[in-house]
Amino acid sequence: MVLEATAAHYGETQHNRFNEAALTSLGVHNTDDFEMTSRVAIGFVDYGFDLLHPCLRTASGEASRFRNLWDQNRGPEAARTSKLDVAMVDDWPGVVLDAAVNLAATSGSRRTLDALYDPHANNCGRDGTIGAAHGTLMASIAAGTAFAGFRSAAPHADLIGVQLALLDSDWKEEDGRGQPTWLNAELPSDTPWNGWRSYDNAPQIGNAVRYIYDRACKLAVDALVINLSIGAWAGAHDGLSAAEQAIADLAAEADAAWTAGRGPRTVVVAGAGNAGADEGHWTGIATHAEPQMFDWIMQRDDPTQNKLEIWYEANDPLEVELTLSNGTTLGLISGTTREILIEDARIGIADHTFKARGRLSRLRILAHPPLFPAVLFDGASAITSLSFRMRVAPGHSATAHAWIERDDGMRERSWLSPSHPTSSLCCLASASGALVIAGCDHHCQPEAGWPAMLPASSLGPLPWSEGVAARIPHVTAPAASIWGAKSKSRGFAQTTGTSAAVAMTSGALANALARDPNAKLPPQQPFATWNSRFGFGLFSIDDTGAVGVSA
């Protein structure tokens, strides 16, 4: 639910109703006496930044807080290239943004600026902008200019923004109208279909991160925080996707440059995700004698395509059977792409690739409930299921994980039975070098003194790692009922989720680095909670998702 308020409604007498409790829990107190010894920038990879909201302008309102802005939609093909020349990016520098903002502010009309860059265009999700453009919310939460009683953690940070050219049709197997692109496609029999898409292989993300670092270096800032309040759920979660590797490479290069005195101290902050309560992850160990089984359940009135990925580690291909609710059984044999047919009608497709990436093998299944015939639904039942049965050759075993792809909305969601809340992380959370943030409810403090995890917050551990290295998220931060700027208004909207936790953390980090570029930062291992004294307490998560204090 999104709650909204106007600036007039929330004046100075209401200032405690904004993010004061969250900021206090992060050790960020009144910033009026802020003593900045270092220049810090925060880069946002997101959707929609309202340059005219008072929180994203300077205190005088005459200039933009953004020193650079790249709208990837101006040249989407360049943003999708795997070898982007960052120096040649067609972006807007601060002086151009300042002039445009000043003109709009003095004229009282945003029409000219919206023609240059509309924060409500090219947004993510089928429903577009709801409540506020996501980038507007995140940038203001982290670093908004104080306005009408609202304040942020890093009001003096320079801002760098990237509007992603990553719409649903870029990472889902559907067209701009939401219709399956595989419905009438010719499917190869012995290779994967070339129409598969995934969020964690989108080059736009890696290009955005590298652009932010490049522009921060040109601004000669002392420290840089890159805010990634983005992500999807499916993927191998092994750190080897194109986007994860791009993030890891940038983090490593930036750290080496800073150590050598050639660039800003750089922290990449990513979200754990909001799939913890979605029943969208399953894991098991299959043998020949004891096959593993689970159901993928869908709703009759789901208007959207559903996607499931199964990844496993084994010496031999898994034997996988897919059974529909009417008893139809299909064998998903390694090395094949096949259609899922009911009454001679294609309702989905699947492929199975042994050793698809390194030691991991993969099955991908797409299903479109609007194509399902009535025979798949039992009488008045509103749901149907696809059942999976997996086993390996005698004497062997295979560890398998399954993830449903992100599909927002209650009517659109599908789920797994049984399901496991652990390893339900965002597909970018496995990137080496990223600081991964979970969401907590800072308003609720259990007797042990640890903040209560948001039920929706995704949990670790990393599925293919062991020991301390597998224990992410690294930090939990405030994520419940967080206020941010409402785009195309002078008011505010409220949001809950790990996106807000990432933004709160980015702002707190920028605040600390502005005071001291050598400030202590959260450890990337193990799992910690950031308390008001800028210290870290350790806690663990068991296989039910319960949180407890670590020894």
Side-chain angles (χ1 to χ4, degrees), residues 156-222:
H156 302 290
D158 291 316
L159 307 184
I160 304 171
V162 177
Q163 162 80 47
L164 278 173
L166 188 57
L167 305 179
D168 284 358
S169 55
D170 285 286
W171 61 279
K172 296 181 179 180
E173 294 79 358
E174 60 184 40
D175 60 23
R177 298 176 295 113
Q179 298 304 304
T181 52
W182 45 264
L183 186 56
N184 298 306
E186 183 177 348
L187 302 179
S189 60
D190 56 354
T191 59
W193 172 57
N194 63 7
W196 293 100
R197 302 286 182 265
S198 65
Y199 198 96
D200 63 354
N201 276 320
Q204 293 95 317
I205 297 171
N207 289 337
V209 170
R210 189 157 293 279
Y211 162 85
I212 288 172
Y213 181 74
D214 177 84
R215 295 308 190 256
C217 289
K218 288 181 169 57
L219 290 171
V221 299
D222 299 294

Side-chain angles (χ1 to χ4, degrees), residues 450 471 526-527 538-541 548-551:
W450 303 97
R471 292 175 60 186
F527 205 161
L538 310 184
F539 61 97
S540 62
I541 297 178
V549 179
S550 293

Side-chain angles (χ1 to χ4, degrees), residues 192-193 196 307-310 349-351 362-366:
W193 172 57
W196 293 100
K307 181 176 182 178
L308 176 73
E309 291 191 12
I310 302 171
I349 65 170
D351 80 358
R362 176 191 63 214
L363 287 89
R364 297 178 288 198
I365 303 95
L366 295 168

